[in-house]
Amino acid sequence: MGKSIIKVNQLHKSYQMGTNSLHVLKGIDMDIREGEMVSIMGSSGSGKSTLLNIIGILDNYDKGEYYLNDILIQKMNEKKAAQFRNKYIGFIFQSFNLISFKNAIENVALPLYYQGVPRKKRNQMALEYLDRLGLKDWAEHTPAELSGGQKQRIAIARALISKPKVILADEPTGALDTQTSYEVMDILKEVNKSGITVIIVTHEHDISEMTHRVIRLTDGLIGSNIKNGIHQPTITITNN
Ligand code: ADP
Ligand code: MG
Protein backbone atom coordinates (compact mmCIF):
# COMPACT_ATOMS: atom_id res chain seq x y z
CA MET A 1 0.00 0.00 0.00
CA GLY A 2 1.06 3.56 -0.69
CA LYS A 3 2.15 6.26 1.67
CA SER A 4 -0.25 8.06 3.97
CA ILE A 5 -2.26 10.68 2.10
CA ILE A 6 -4.87 11.55 4.79
CA LYS A 7 -3.80 11.22 8.41
CA VAL A 8 -6.00 12.37 11.25
CA ASN A 9 -4.94 12.22 14.92
CA GLN A 10 -7.31 12.78 17.83
CA LEU A 11 -9.44 15.19 15.85
CA HIS A 12 -12.15 17.14 17.67
CA LYS A 13 -14.84 19.41 16.30
CA SER A 14 -17.69 21.19 18.04
CA TYR A 15 -20.32 23.52 16.67
CA GLN A 16 -21.23 26.55 18.77
CA MET A 17 -24.84 27.64 18.75
CA GLY A 18 -25.37 30.54 21.09
CA THR A 19 -24.44 29.27 24.52
CA ASN A 20 -24.76 25.64 23.44
CA SER A 21 -21.92 23.57 22.05
CA LEU A 22 -22.41 20.36 20.05
CA HIS A 23 -19.39 18.05 20.24
CA VAL A 24 -19.57 16.20 16.90
CA LEU A 25 -16.10 14.67 16.43
CA LYS A 26 -14.65 13.37 19.69
CA GLY A 27 -11.14 12.20 18.92
CA ILE A 28 -11.04 10.72 15.42
CA ASP A 29 -8.00 8.70 14.34
CA MET A 30 -7.76 7.76 10.69
CA ASP A 31 -5.04 6.87 8.22
CA ILE A 32 -5.87 6.62 4.52
CA ARG A 33 -3.19 5.49 2.10
CA GLU A 34 -2.51 6.72 -1.40
CA GLY A 35 -4.55 4.71 -3.91
CA GLU A 36 -7.13 3.46 -1.40
CA MET A 37 -10.88 3.49 -2.01
CA VAL A 38 -12.54 3.93 1.36
CA SER A 39 -16.08 4.51 2.55
CA ILE A 40 -17.10 6.32 5.70
CA MET A 41 -20.38 5.04 7.12
CA GLY A 42 -22.52 6.23 9.96
CA SER A 43 -26.08 7.16 10.74
CA SER A 44 -27.50 10.56 9.90
CA GLY A 45 -26.01 13.23 12.14
CA SER A 46 -22.99 11.12 13.13
CA GLY A 47 -20.56 13.69 11.73
CA LYS A 48 -19.68 12.22 8.32
CA SER A 49 -20.04 15.48 6.42
CA THR A 50 -18.28 17.38 9.20
CA LEU A 51 -15.30 15.03 8.91
CA LEU A 52 -15.27 15.16 5.10
CA ASN A 53 -15.46 18.97 5.10
CA ILE A 54 -12.46 19.14 7.43
CA ILE A 55 -10.53 16.71 5.20
CA GLY A 56 -11.48 18.88 2.22
CA ILE A 57 -10.34 22.05 4.05
CA LEU A 58 -13.81 23.53 3.79
CA ASP A 59 -13.97 23.76 7.58
CA ASN A 60 -11.60 24.02 10.55
CA TYR A 61 -11.21 21.61 13.44
CA ASP A 62 -10.76 22.51 17.09
CA LYS A 63 -8.17 20.06 18.40
CA GLY A 64 -5.89 17.31 17.08
CA GLU A 65 -3.93 17.10 13.85
CA TYR A 66 -4.72 16.66 10.19
CA TYR A 67 -1.98 15.84 7.68
CA LEU A 68 -2.73 15.97 3.96
CA ASN A 69 0.13 14.44 1.95
CA ASP A 70 2.31 14.83 5.08
CA ILE A 71 1.54 18.54 5.33
CA LEU A 72 -0.04 19.71 8.59
CA ILE A 73 -3.31 21.42 7.73
CA GLN A 74 -4.21 23.91 10.44
CA LYS A 75 -6.30 27.03 10.63
CA MET A 76 -5.41 28.84 7.44
CA ASN A 77 -6.91 31.74 5.57
CA GLU A 78 -9.35 31.07 2.72
CA LYS A 79 -6.80 31.86 0.02
CA LYS A 80 -4.33 29.27 1.31
CA ALA A 81 -7.12 26.73 1.85
CA ALA A 82 -8.27 27.25 -1.73
CA GLN A 83 -4.73 26.67 -3.00
CA PHE A 84 -4.52 23.35 -1.14
CA ARG A 85 -7.97 22.31 -2.33
CA ASN A 86 -7.07 23.14 -5.92
CA LYS A 87 -3.86 21.15 -5.73
CA TYR A 88 -5.07 18.04 -3.90
CA ILE A 89 -8.85 17.72 -3.64
CA GLY A 90 -11.84 17.09 -5.88
CA PHE A 91 -15.31 17.24 -4.33
CA ILE A 92 -18.50 15.43 -5.32
CA PHE A 93 -21.80 16.15 -3.54
CA GLN A 94 -25.17 14.42 -3.25
CA SER A 95 -26.92 17.42 -4.81
CA PHE A 96 -24.28 17.78 -7.58
CA ASN A 97 -23.73 21.50 -6.82
CA LEU A 98 -23.66 22.48 -10.48
CA ILE A 99 -24.28 26.07 -11.53
CA SER A 100 -27.74 26.04 -13.08
CA PHE A 101 -27.26 28.86 -15.60
CA LYS A 102 -23.99 27.46 -16.96
CA ASN A 103 -23.72 24.64 -19.46
CA ALA A 104 -21.83 21.38 -18.92
CA ILE A 105 -18.55 22.67 -20.42
CA GLU A 106 -18.60 25.81 -18.28
CA ASN A 107 -19.40 23.82 -15.13
CA VAL A 108 -16.56 21.36 -15.74
CA ALA A 109 -14.14 24.16 -16.66
CA LEU A 110 -14.86 26.18 -13.51
CA PRO A 111 -11.86 24.97 -11.41
CA LEU A 112 -9.57 25.93 -14.29
CA TYR A 113 -11.16 29.39 -14.42
CA TYR A 114 -10.14 29.88 -10.78
CA GLN A 115 -6.63 28.71 -11.68
CA GLY A 116 -6.45 31.39 -14.36
CA VAL A 117 -6.39 29.00 -17.32
CA PRO A 118 -7.45 30.90 -20.50
CA ARG A 119 -10.98 30.23 -21.75
CA LYS A 120 -10.07 28.38 -24.94
CA LYS A 121 -7.70 26.01 -23.16
CA ARG A 122 -10.06 25.32 -20.25
CA ASN A 123 -13.05 24.69 -22.51
CA GLN A 124 -10.98 22.31 -24.61
CA MET A 125 -9.94 20.40 -21.49
CA ALA A 126 -13.52 20.38 -20.16
CA LEU A 127 -14.71 18.87 -23.43
CA GLU A 128 -12.06 16.15 -23.15
CA TYR A 129 -13.25 15.24 -19.66
CA LEU A 130 -16.90 15.30 -20.75
CA ASP A 131 -15.95 12.99 -23.60
CA ARG A 132 -14.22 10.59 -21.19
CA LEU A 133 -17.40 10.46 -19.11
CA GLY A 134 -19.55 9.83 -22.19
CA LEU A 135 -21.16 13.28 -22.17
CA LYS A 136 -19.68 14.95 -25.25
CA ASP A 137 -23.10 15.30 -26.84
CA TRP A 138 -24.40 17.09 -23.76
CA ALA A 139 -21.61 19.67 -23.56
CA GLU A 140 -23.84 22.63 -24.41
CA HIS A 141 -26.72 21.62 -22.14
CA THR A 142 -27.52 23.16 -18.77
CA PRO A 143 -28.10 20.99 -15.67
CA ALA A 144 -31.90 21.34 -15.91
CA GLU A 145 -31.76 19.48 -19.24
CA LEU A 146 -29.83 16.53 -17.80
CA SER A 147 -30.73 13.45 -15.72
CA GLY A 148 -29.39 12.91 -12.20
CA GLY A 149 -26.79 10.44 -13.42
CA GLN A 150 -25.62 12.84 -16.13
CA LYS A 151 -25.39 15.66 -13.61
CA GLN A 152 -23.27 13.54 -11.28
CA ARG A 153 -20.99 12.59 -14.18
CA ILE A 154 -20.53 16.30 -14.92
CA ALA A 155 -19.69 16.86 -11.25
CA ILE A 156 -17.15 14.02 -11.45
CA ALA A 157 -15.58 15.58 -14.57
CA ARG A 158 -15.39 18.91 -12.72
CA ALA A 159 -13.72 17.18 -9.75
CA LEU A 160 -11.18 15.44 -12.01
CA ILE A 161 -10.20 18.37 -14.22
CA SER A 162 -7.70 19.82 -11.76
CA LYS A 163 -6.00 16.39 -11.48
CA PRO A 164 -6.56 15.92 -7.72
CA LYS A 165 -4.79 13.34 -5.57
CA VAL A 166 -7.97 12.71 -3.57
CA ILE A 167 -11.65 12.63 -4.48
CA LEU A 168 -14.03 13.31 -1.59
CA ALA A 169 -17.61 12.26 -2.31
CA ASP A 170 -20.37 13.10 0.18
CA GLU A 171 -23.29 10.70 -0.45
CA PRO A 172 -22.61 10.81 -4.22
CA THR A 173 -25.38 8.30 -4.94
CA GLY A 174 -27.87 9.65 -2.40
CA ALA A 175 -30.06 11.32 -5.01
CA LEU A 176 -29.83 8.56 -7.63
CA ASP A 177 -31.79 5.38 -8.36
CA THR A 178 -30.05 2.05 -7.78
CA GLN A 179 -28.89 1.42 -11.34
CA THR A 180 -27.57 4.96 -11.78
CA SER A 181 -25.88 4.68 -8.37
CA TYR A 182 -24.00 1.60 -9.55
CA GLU A 183 -22.97 3.38 -12.76
CA VAL A 184 -21.57 6.26 -10.72
CA MET A 185 -19.75 3.78 -8.44
CA ASP A 186 -18.26 2.06 -11.52
CA ILE A 187 -16.91 5.44 -12.63
CA LEU A 188 -15.47 6.12 -9.18
CA LYS A 189 -13.81 2.67 -9.24
CA GLU A 190 -12.20 3.55 -12.58
CA VAL A 191 -11.07 6.89 -11.13
CA ASN A 192 -9.51 4.99 -8.22
CA LYS A 193 -7.79 2.55 -10.61
CA SER A 194 -6.11 5.53 -12.28
CA GLY A 195 -4.32 6.10 -8.95
CA ILE A 196 -6.55 8.68 -7.28
CA THR A 197 -7.50 8.06 -3.65
CA VAL A 198 -11.30 7.98 -3.28
CA ILE A 199 -13.21 8.60 -0.04
CA ILE A 200 -16.97 8.08 -0.16
CA VAL A 201 -19.39 9.02 2.59
CA THR A 202 -22.52 6.89 2.44
CA HIS A 203 -25.11 5.26 4.64
CA GLU A 204 -25.93 2.61 2.02
CA HIS A 205 -24.37 -0.82 2.61
CA ASP A 206 -24.36 -1.86 -1.04
CA ILE A 207 -22.34 1.27 -1.86
CA SER A 208 -19.83 0.79 0.97
CA GLU A 209 -19.39 -2.85 -0.08
CA MET A 210 -17.92 -1.61 -3.36
CA THR A 211 -15.02 0.04 -1.54
CA HIS A 212 -11.87 -1.62 -0.20
CA ARG A 213 -12.38 -0.53 3.38
CA VAL A 214 -15.22 0.74 5.53
CA ILE A 215 -14.61 3.23 8.31
CA ARG A 216 -17.47 3.48 10.78
CA LEU A 217 -18.36 6.67 12.55
CA THR A 218 -20.43 6.21 15.69
CA ASP A 219 -21.12 8.90 18.27
CA GLY A 220 -18.25 11.01 16.98
CA LEU A 221 -15.73 8.17 17.14
CA ILE A 222 -14.27 5.70 14.69
CA GLY A 223 -15.75 2.32 15.50
CA SER A 224 -14.81 -0.96 13.90
CA ASN A 225 -12.76 -1.21 10.77
CA ILE A 226 -14.28 -3.63 8.32
CA LYS A 227 -12.37 -5.10 5.43
CA ASN A 228 -13.79 -7.58 2.95
CA GLY A 229 -16.76 -8.11 5.22
CA ILE A 230 -14.58 -9.21 8.13
CA HIS A 231 -14.44 -7.13 11.28
CA GLN A 232 -10.86 -6.08 11.95
CA PRO A 233 -9.73 -5.09 15.42
CA THR A 234 -11.09 -1.70 16.32
CA ILE A 235 -8.66 1.05 15.35
CA THR A 236 -9.44 3.42 18.15
CA ILE A 237 -12.08 4.03 20.68
CA THR A 238 -11.60 7.11 22.75
CA ASN A 239 -13.95 7.79 25.60
CA ASN A 240 -14.43 11.20 27.01
P1 ADP B 1 -23.85 13.50 8.82
O1 ADP B 1 -23.19 14.00 7.57
O2 ADP B 1 -23.23 12.25 9.35
O3 ADP B 1 -25.33 13.35 8.68
P2 ADP B 1 -23.12 16.10 9.91
O4 ADP B 1 -21.63 16.11 9.94
O5 ADP B 1 -23.78 16.83 8.81
O6 ADP B 1 -23.62 14.59 9.99
O7 ADP B 1 -23.68 16.69 11.28
C1 ADP B 1 -23.28 16.20 12.54
C2 ADP B 1 -24.02 16.98 13.61
O8 ADP B 1 -23.59 18.32 13.60
C3 ADP B 1 -25.53 17.03 13.42
O9 ADP B 1 -26.14 16.97 14.68
C4 ADP B 1 -25.76 18.36 12.76
O10 ADP B 1 -27.03 18.86 13.07
C5 ADP B 1 -24.66 19.20 13.36
N1 ADP B 1 -24.17 20.26 12.46
C6 ADP B 1 -23.66 20.09 11.23
N2 ADP B 1 -23.26 21.26 10.69
C7 ADP B 1 -23.54 22.21 11.62
C8 ADP B 1 -23.36 23.62 11.67
N3 ADP B 1 -22.80 24.30 10.66
N4 ADP B 1 -23.75 24.27 12.81
C9 ADP B 1 -24.29 23.59 13.84
N5 ADP B 1 -24.48 22.26 13.85
C10 ADP B 1 -24.12 21.57 12.76
MG1 MG C 1 -23.92 14.43 5.71
Side-chain angles (χ1 to χ4, degrees):
M1 230 182 347
K3 65 184 271 289
S4 177
I5 182 85
I6 304 273
K7 179 104 172 75
V8 162
N9 299 328
Q10 285 300 301
L11 193 90
H12 287 257
K13 170 76 180 177
S14 297
Y15 290 112
Q16 310 299 331
M17 291 163 296
T19 54
N20 292 326
S21 170
L22 182 65
H23 198 179
V24 178
L25 304 179
K26 304 174 182 172
I28 299 288
D29 289 305
M30 211 168 72
D31 188 2
I32 296 174
R33 304 272 152 169
E34 213 161 50
E36 271 199 289
M37 183 162 181
V38 171
S39 51
I40 298 175
M41 283 200 92
S43 53
S44 177
S46 60
K48 304 181 297 295
S49 295
T50 300
L51 179 58
L52 207 69
N53 289 345
I54 291 170
I55 292 172
I57 328 181
L58 290 171
D59 203 355
N60 288 316
Y61 55 94
D62 302 325
K63 221 170 83 179
E65 289 165 334
Y66 166 35
Y67 293 91
L68 170 60
N69 202 36
D70 292 330
I71 303 160
L72 180 62
I73 303 295
Q74 269 177 331
K75 288 196 177 80
M76 50 176 69
N77 62 37
E78 179 45 36
K79 190 175 172 214
K80 191 105 181 121
Q83 281 171 2
F84 273 101
R85 280 200 300 270
N86 252 320
K87 182 161 180 200
Y88 291 105
I89 310 273
F91 257 105
I92 300 167
F93 300 94
Q94 173 172 0
S95 51
F96 322 120
N97 288 16
L98 300 174
I99 297 175
S100 59
F101 56 87
K102 291 191 178 291
N103 69 26
I105 294 190
E106 292 162 336
N107 267 287
V108 173
L110 200 62
L112 301 181
Y113 166 82
Y114 288 118
Q115 288 172 28
V117 177
R119 182 198 297 267
K120 195 169 172 213
K121 167 90 177 151
R122 66 176 190 257
N123 285 352
Q124 183 195 329
M125 282 182 70
L127 197 58
E128 268 173 44
Y129 275 86
L130 283 171
D131 190 18
R132 267 193 227 177
L133 285 154
L135 287 168
K136 202 175 183 180
D137 294 342
W138 298 90
E140 312 271 336
H141 289 252
T142 57
E145 298 163 336
L146 301 168
S147 70
Q150 288 171 325
K151 281 188 264 209
Q152 199 56 302
R153 278 189 279 157
I154 288 170
I156 293 170
R158 180 185 57 187
L160 291 174
I161 202 163
S162 47
K163 300 190 167 63
K165 277 185 170 291
V166 184
I167 291 279
L168 302 177
D170 195 349
E171 313 250 9
T173 61
L176 305 174
D177 62 68
T178 305
Q179 200 207 318
T180 310
S181 293
Y182 292 171
E183 285 164 16
V184 163
M185 285 304 291
D186 283 341
I187 294 167
L188 292 176
K189 280 190 213 169
E190 287 304 314
V191 166
N192 174 247
K193 276 186 194 148
S194 79
I196 298 174
T197 307
V198 177
I199 305 176
I200 298 170
V201 160
T202 182
H203 58 257
E204 296 164 290
H205 280 98
D206 52 342
I207 297 300
S208 70
E209 275 165 18
M210 295 175 199
T211 67
H212 305 146
R213 181 154 73 100
V214 182
I215 295 172
R216 273 183 185 285
L217 200 53
T218 315
D219 298 330
L221 295 166
I222 298 296
S224 56
N225 185 16
I226 301 163
K227 202 166 189 176
N228 302 326
I230 300 160
H231 280 262
Q232 305 288 315
T234 299
I235 310 177
T236 313
I237 293 184
T238 311
N239 293 310
N240 66 336

